Amino acid sequence: MRNILFAISCGLAVCAFAAPGISNVSVTRSSAFAKKVTVGYDLAIEDAIVTLDVLTNGVSIGAANVVSVSGDVNRKIVKGVGKSIVWHSYQDWPDHAITNEVVQFKLTAWALDNPPDVMVVDLTSKSNIAFYASLDSMPGGGVTNDIYKTDKLVMRRIPAGGSVFTMGEAGGTGSKFPHFVAFTNDFYLGVYELTQKQLFNVMGVRGSDNFADRIDSDVLPCNSLPWGNGGDVLSIRSWGQNAQTQGRVAKLGLSYKSVLRNLCFFSGIAFDLPTGAQWEFACRAGTNTKFNDGSATSSTMDELGWHSGNAGGAPHPVGKKKPNAFGLYDMHGNVMEWVLDWEYSADKNPYTSYDINPTGPTSNANYNKERRGGGYAQTADNCNSTYRSGTHVYTGYKAGF
């Protein structure tokens, strides 16, 4: 990550502070009150992701005031000359005359192997990826805007690389046996559970037919989405699930695999589900207790997620409960979430006392995959950080991701 800071003086001279890769910075205004500001620069050495901040007297004016920006910003920029960023200051920061040297512009060039914390995939425009320095710096008032639950997909960089944590819980057995886990890399994880509208944008169909008539169906999490085999109808029909679910899944051809395949093709990014270890590390967000707010019991679960005691037997719109320290919502409750691991079998312990990037069991005789986090049908206590439940790959009962 490389920063460059420059200021607008009355004569529009640029005071630049050297930063590797960025040079020849220029600033122009469209009028005396700078209704539009254009920042020009050259990017040398290597391709990078470039972000912009605006400061007065060295203090940021806030992400909410730097929304109407376009050009060579918030995305991967190919190295070269003549790059430009346009900021419509009159829309974002009205009644401020950008005429003196206390107004500064800060460019940050992020190395591609050390990108910003937030990646946003536009589900309405192919291969349209944006990056932001934080969840609060996203346009539209931040991550709580419903557009990030419907037409865009927000991924949060999880700082796992070089970290070691205790997976499982004290006194746990089997897959919950406490053991050290280390990660070699960071990874991105969705801030919200995948919603019905996001599914529609990716697949052209909606799941969870039994909730489709709800007025808030767009922002409900995908529910009962099977792991599947890319919509393999014969395999689905060969398994003894109930006829209604079987017919719906076969008709839609929906499964975790088919959704992820389409998402990878649409975005150009290699998406996959987290491993159980990645999921638990992200859920805990630095805590070592049963719940990610630091609670050892479910006494605060009503603040963290939807469970059998407060959900009324149905899923709820994503993001309505308290996020964890990483800014992730609904890690406890709402719907259970698929992970890559096969369900643990009592006669096969895949874990040692210290594992690096573990993937859990490699098979299960009953073809059961693992779901994490509990959901609206589980008790509050069973929505904890270590809870897991296996189910057959072609049912996806009360599961999303």
Side-chain angles (χ1 to χ4, degrees):
M1 182 175 69
R2 302 178 297 274
N3 294 329
I4 186 167
L5 187 67
F6 53 95
I8 298 180
S9 70
C10 293
L12 287 185
V14 175
C15 179
F17 300 88
I22 296 179
S23 61
N24 298 327
V25 178
S26 64
V27 179
T28 57
R29 299 172 296 165
S30 61
S31 69
F33 281 86
K35 291 185 176 180
K36 182 173 72 173
V37 177
T38 300
V39 179
Y41 68 96
D42 295 341
L43 179 64
I45 302 179
E46 61 185 7
D47 298 349
I49 296 166
V50 177
T51 58
L52 171 72
D53 194 10
V54 180
L55 306 87
T56 58
N57 292 313
V59 179
S60 174
I61 67 172
N65 297 316
V66 191
V67 173
S68 303
V69 293
S70 59
D72 299 312
V73 66
N74 295 334
R75 59 185 176 86
K76 176 184 174 182
I77 306 300
V78 177
K79 65 180 181 179
V81 300
K83 308 299 180 182
S84 67
I85 302 171
V86 175
W87 177 43
H88 295 275
S89 57
Y90 68 98
Q91 294 181 9
D92 296 344
W93 208 40
D95 304 321
H96 290 81
I98 304 179
T99 58
N100 59 63
E101 58 189 12
V102 300
V103 179
Q104 301 170 315
F105 292 75
K106 179 182 177 182
L107 279 177
T108 302
W110 304 75
L112 298 184
D113 61 356
N114 185 28
D117 281 351
V118 179
M119 176 174 65
V120 179
V121 181
D122 187 339
L123 300 178
T124 66
S125 178
K126 186 174 173 62
S127 300
N128 190 356
I129 314 296
F131 291 87
Y132 301 95
S134 68
L135 294 173
D136 293 334
S137 65
M138 296 160 54
V143 71
T144 57
N145 190 318
D146 272 2
I147 194 172
Y148 300 117
K149 306 171 186 177
T150 52
D151 292 336
K152 297 181 187 293
L153 179 68
V154 183
M155 311 293 290
R156 167 68 159 86
R157 184 177 175 180
I158 306 301
S163 297
V164 178
F165 85 111
T166 301
M167 184 177 177
E169 61 183 68
T173 59
S175 59
K176 292 185 180 181
F177 178 80
H179 57 285
F180 293 115
V181 167
F183 297 102
T184 55
N185 296 296
D186 292 354
F187 57 91
Y188 283 94
L189 195 69
V191 167
Y192 300 114
E193 294 166 326
L194 190 78
T195 67
Q196 298 288 342
K197 181 63 183 300
Q198 289 170 329
L199 179 69
F200 180 81
N201 279 323
V202 174
M203 299 295 292
V205 294
R206 293 174 183 264
S208 304
D209 292 358
N210 50 328
F211 299 112
D213 58 347
R214 281 179 46 172
I215 192 171
D216 56 3
S217 63
D218 276 359
V219 291
L220 290 179
C222 294
N223 182 46
S224 297
L225 189 66
W227 177 281
N229 190 21
D232 186 336
V233 176
L234 292 179
S235 296
I236 292 171
R237 288 177 175 170
S238 69
W239 191 70
Q241 56 183 303
N242 69 73
Q244 180 180 3
T245 301
Q246 176 182 353
R248 173 171 59 80
V249 173
K251 177 182 177 182
L252 299 179
L254 284 178
S255 69
Y256 136 73
K257 288 187 176 181
S258 62
V259 174
L260 267 291
R261 184 176 61 239
N262 277 22
L263 187 57
C264 292
F265 174 77
F266 184 81
S267 67
I269 294 176
F271 283 99
D272 209 339
L273 296 188
T275 64
Q278 288 175 325
W279 186 97
E280 188 168 321
F281 180 86
C283 176
R284 288 183 180 277
T287 62
N288 58 8
T289 51
K290 291 187 70 171
F291 295 89
N292 60 28
D293 66 343
S295 298
T297 69
S298 61
S299 58
T300 60
M301 184 57 197
D302 280 355
E303 300 175 10
L304 301 177
W306 301 102
H307 54 89
S308 60
N310 67 0
H316 286 253
V318 299
K320 295 299 184 181
K321 294 296 186 177
K322 182 180 177 181
N324 69 8
F326 289 155
L328 307 178
Y329 293 82
D330 297 306
M331 296 298 282
H332 295 307
N334 215 2
V335 295
M336 291 181 283
E337 299 166 10
W338 285 115
V339 294
L340 284 174
D341 303 32
W342 290 92
E343 185 183 24
Y344 170 84
S345 298
D347 59 339
K348 295 181 180 179
N349 188 346
Y351 301 107
T352 65
S353 59
Y354 189 98
D355 291 321
I356 300 175
N357 302 324
T359 58
T362 57
S363 64
N364 180 281
N366 296 317
Y367 299 99
N368 286 347
K369 282 282 190 176
E370 194 172 88
R371 302 167 300 175
R372 300 297 302 267
Y376 63 89
Q378 276 70 46
T379 65
D381 191 62
N382 277 346
C383 293
N384 64 67
S385 299
T386 64
Y387 177 80
R388 61 206 68 198
S389 173
T391 194
H392 194 281
V393 293
Y394 290 124
T395 174
Y397 179 65
K398 291 182 171 60
F401 62 88

